[in-house]
Every structure is written in structure tokens, then in C-alpha cells.
Amino acid sequence: MTPAYTAGLYEAAYDCLMQADPTRKIAMMQILAADWHAGRLQRRYDSGVPQRIPVPGRPSRPLLVPAAELPRRSSSTAPGRQALAHAIAHIEFNAINLALDAVYRFRDMPDAYYTDWLQVAVEEGRHFGLLQDYLQSRGEAYGSYTAHNGLWEMAIKTDHDVLVRMALVPRVLEARGLDVTPGMIKKFEAIGDNETIRILHIILRDEIGHVRVGDNWFRWTCQQRQLNPETTFFE
């Protein structure tokens, strides 16, 4: 694979983060991860101060609306299942950007931190690809339904401190996803939708690892700051 980047890690992560086309973003991200693993990217400390990113790279659709305005989705109908798959795809797309932002933004962490979050980004990209294929096989596409921006709003709220980001994104939002996924799988089992069940099992397996990554780096940061992880989390 030909290296795509001659810049440093943070510049490369920013380029991926701001890429709007999902297919191109995922391809760039895979090259970024390969270059980092192969030692072709350096952590350049002259890279400047990370920018606040109100809007990361994303396509013009889906239209973003307040969460309360999203229609209710029922897995008992084909349109409902497609809408639900789209909602999960939107979560996975945002999760790609969140993982890339974790690499780009927080620059005083050990190398293993960047290795972990690039792996998370690659796996989130794989999830998105599976769901995109599912939608396309049914005549739909990412962007066909409305969505909300809650995940990226949390990224903005936590962009000032890696400890806060690790506490509130993987340990809260992603962990909530783990809580609801087994129930979704049971609903799809009841109607015999084996393709969705297969995708959800892959996502569940990988997301357990993503929550673990966030928990590990939250606890590592607490240790560095001599903080109690349990009381700090609830604060």
C-alpha cells in the first residue's frame, strides 16, 4: 500500500476527519492506520493547537433534526427496519469522526493511545460499510432518512479534556449502545432478519472493545492526575 501522507499524525487525522465523502473517508482512514502502524507517521509537536470543529466532514445528507423530531421506528415493518439500520449507520459514521478527533485533538498521550483509537476508527468504518451495503441492497442509502447530531454535540462539549472525553463518550454513550443492542437482536430474531442480526453481532462484539479502550484510557489519565476514577467519573 502506497503511503498517502508525508505530514505528521495529527495533520493526517485532521484530513480524514474533515473528508466529507464516507467512502473516501474510510479509504483515507485505512491508509492512515496502516501508515501509523508501519512507522511512516510521526507525532509532530510543531503542528499547532488543535482547532475546535463545530462541523466535521460529513455529506450534505442526512438532514439533521432535533432528536425529538425523529419518527418512531418499528422493526416489524421493512421500512421501519431500514430506518433503524440508517439510524445505526449514522451512529457509526459519527463514531468514525469521534475516533479520528480523539487522535487529532489530544496530543500528550502515549503512542498506544493513538494505536487504539485508529483501530476503533477502522472498526467503526467497517460497521458503517456493512450498514451502507444493507441499505443499498434495499434501494436506500445513507442520507435517505433524517438523523440527529447528539454524538457530535458531545464531541464539542468534551473537546477540552481527554479525561472528560473518555468518561462521557465511550463510558456513557457507547456503553448505552451496548445496553440496547441485545434487545434489538432479539427483535430481529423474532422476525427472522438474519442479515441484520449478523451485522448487529459484529457491532456488539467490536463495541465491547471500544468501551474497554475508553475505560482503559480514562483510568490511565486518572492515574496520571492522581484522581480516583470512580468519584471522578460521577463528578
Side-chain angles (χ1 to χ4, degrees):
M1 183 179 292
T2 303
Y5 303 105
T6 57
L9 170 67
Y10 307 122
E11 293 91 341
Y14 179 81
D15 288 345
C16 288
L17 179 58
M18 300 309 293
Q19 170 58 239
D21 179 74
T23 301
R24 179 64 179 152
K25 184 191 290 283
I26 290 169
M28 290 171 64
M29 181 177 65
Q30 290 170 340
I31 295 172
L32 165 58
D35 282 353
W36 171 252
H37 282 291
R40 292 189 287 260
L41 286 172
Q42 302 300 316
R43 296 174 61 183
R44 289 171 48 180
Y45 294 97
D46 59 350
S47 302
V49 177
Q51 302 177 42
R52 167 159 277 202
I53 302 176
V55 181
R58 59 176 298 272
S60 59
R61 299 187 66 86
L63 175 67
L64 300 180
V65 300
E69 295 182 13
L70 291 173
R72 295 181 66 85
R73 308 176 185 94
S74 171
S75 60
S76 63
T77 67
R81 291 193 291 275
Q82 291 163 17
L84 183 58
H86 185 275
I88 301 170
H90 182 65
I91 291 170
E92 299 300 328
F93 184 79
N94 273 277
I96 296 169
N97 282 337
L98 276 162
L100 290 169
D101 188 71
V103 173
Y104 164 72
R105 183 162 308 284
F106 304 116
R107 304 187 177 183
D108 57 353
M109 302 296 282
D111 284 356
Y113 167 89
Y114 305 101
T115 301
D116 280 349
W117 283 106
L118 286 172
Q119 181 62 31
V120 170
V122 168
E123 290 175 356
E124 303 289 17
R126 187 179 306 126
H127 302 164
F128 177 83
L130 290 169
L131 290 159
Q132 185 171 238
D133 290 346
Y134 175 94
L135 289 167
Q136 289 175 347
S137 71
R138 287 155 177 80
E140 300 288 355
Y142 179 57
S144 296
Y145 300 82
T146 55
H148 70 83
N149 202 35
L151 266 177
W152 193 254
E153 289 169 359
M154 182 62 81
I156 296 171
K157 291 176 183 177
T158 60
D159 67 4
H160 62 288
D161 189 345
V162 67
L163 185 146
V164 178
R165 172 69 63 83
M166 295 298 111
L168 296 182
V169 175
R171 289 184 112 232
V172 174
L173 296 186
E174 292 198 70
R176 286 175 181 168
L178 292 183
D179 289 341
V180 302
T181 302
M184 285 196 294
I185 290 173
K186 286 184 178 179
K187 288 182 179 180
F188 285 107
E189 286 175 340
I191 57 177
D193 188 339
N194 293 324
E195 179 62 13
T196 304
I197 293 167
R198 182 184 71 86
I199 294 171
L200 289 175
H201 274 297
I202 292 170
I203 292 174
L204 179 62
R205 178 199 66 200
D206 292 345
E207 294 296 342
I208 290 170
H210 300 173
V211 173
R212 185 178 298 117
V213 165
D215 180 62
N216 287 344
W217 289 112
F218 171 76
R219 292 179 181 278
W220 183 91
T221 306
C222 285
Q223 183 180 43
Q224 297 301 303
R225 300 182 190 181
Q226 298 182 330
L227 299 171
N228 180 290
E230 304 307 326
T231 57
T232 300
F233 175 70
F234 287 105
E235 287 168 7

